[in-house]
């Protein structure tokens, strides 16, 4: 019997990202690439170097705040990929989830980590409330007797994460402590770009 036959398959992640954030980030990156390429090719003097420094500084930041953020959840753990760090929390390390003006996960030590890829949408909440109110006002029996209350996309994602936490926190393979890793692949080029820009400005 082979190893692949004896080892159970790993549970796939539920992935939560912001489509609007990704779309905006990709658009900014395309505009930056277009303008930056033109400036580097046609620029004179220190202009090409200045543009390179600006792009080196700004591109990682755009990626960090738009394309990079994501939340991954499976039966073993929650992984939060925020702009400048990755946080891995086995379900046993999670204390609770909080939703206010931002969505957050709190670990057993009381440390809060914002879930950047699951933003709170007050507009989405109001839309869900209006849908529920219309159904109630119209006397739609099917809607008013339904067990599912209309929820915004962000609130639905938080409900799913809370359910995973409730059902998996005591599991043997979901034990452990919070682990944090800084995103040096974002931080390093940003710092390098800022330093190069400072040097060029001072010349």
């Amino acid at each position: 019997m082979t190893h692949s036959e004896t080892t159970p398959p790993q549970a796939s992640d539920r992935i939560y990202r912001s489509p609007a954030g990704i779309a905006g980030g990709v658009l900014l990156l395309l505009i930056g690439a277009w303008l930056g390429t033109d400036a580097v090719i046609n620029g004179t003097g220190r202009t090409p170097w200045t543009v390179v420094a600006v792009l080196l500084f700004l591109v990682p930041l755009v990626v960090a705040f738009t394309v990079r953020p994501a939340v991954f959840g499976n039966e073993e753990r929650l992984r939060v990929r925020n702009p400048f760090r990755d946080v891995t929390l086995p379900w046993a390390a999670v204390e609770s989830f909080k939703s206010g003006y931002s969505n957050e996960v709190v670990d057993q030590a009381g440390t809060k980590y914002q879930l950047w890829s699951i933003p709170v949408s007050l507009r989405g909440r109001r839309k869900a409330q209006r849908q529920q109110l219309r159904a109630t006002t119209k006397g739609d029996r099917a809607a008013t007797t339904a067990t599912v209350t209309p929820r915004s996309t962000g609130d639905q994602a938080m409900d799913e994460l809370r359910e995973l936490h409730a059902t998996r926190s005591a599991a043997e393979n979901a034990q452990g402590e919070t682990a944090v890793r800084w995103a040096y692949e974002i931080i390093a080029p940003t710092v390098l770009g800022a330093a190069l820009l400072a040097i060029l400005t001072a010349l």
Side-chain angles (χ1 to χ4, degrees):
M1 185 174 293
T2 64
H3 178 73
S4 61
E5 292 174 333
T6 60
T7 303
Q10 295 293 322
S12 59
D13 284 328
R14 299 184 187 182
I15 304 175
Y16 303 92
R17 308 187 74 177
S18 171
I22 294 173
V26 170
L27 179 60
L28 288 174
L29 291 174
L30 290 175
I31 293 173
W34 173 47
L35 296 177
T37 300
D38 179 71
V40 169
I41 294 175
N42 299 317
T44 58
R46 289 187 299 180
T47 298
W49 287 105
T50 302
V51 171
V52 169
V54 170
L55 291 176
L56 194 59
F57 175 70
L58 290 180
V59 168
L61 292 179
V62 172
V63 172
F65 287 98
T66 61
V67 180
R68 174 180 162 79
V71 172
F72 306 86
N74 61 27
E75 294 184 352
E76 298 179 1
R77 51 95 181 109
L78 175 73
R79 184 161 65 91
V80 181
R81 195 169 70 192
N82 280 342
F84 299 112
R85 60 183 179 178
D86 292 340
V87 184
T88 302
L89 304 99
W91 288 116
V94 175
E95 172 63 28
S96 63
F97 290 92
K98 292 186 176 181
S99 296
Y101 291 105
S102 64
N103 287 315
E104 300 172 332
V105 59
V106 184
D107 69 7
Q108 295 290 348
T111 305
K112 298 179 181 179
Y113 301 99
Q114 186 174 347
L115 306 180
W116 277 82
S117 69
I118 310 179
V120 171
S121 174
L122 297 180
R123 180 181 179 183
R125 286 179 179 174
R126 289 193 295 269
K127 181 180 179 180
Q129 291 169 355
R130 287 196 300 270
Q131 290 175 346
Q132 184 180 14
L133 180 60
R134 281 198 299 267
T136 303
T137 302
K138 292 179 180 179
D140 187 337
R141 180 174 300 178
T144 55
T145 58
T147 57
V148 179
T149 301
R151 305 275 282 167
S152 68
T153 302
D155 288 339
Q156 289 177 22
M158 294 299 286
D159 288 344
E160 292 178 5
L161 292 176
R162 289 187 178 98
E163 181 180 357
L164 269 174
H165 174 233
T167 57
R168 299 299 302 168
S169 59
E172 183 178 351
N173 62 347
Q175 306 303 303
E177 299 180 352
T178 303
V180 179
R181 183 189 75 85
W182 289 98
Y184 293 108
E185 66 275 16
I186 296 292
I187 298 172
T190 301
V191 173
L192 180 60
L196 181 58
L197 189 59
I199 292 172
L200 291 171
T201 303
L203 293 177

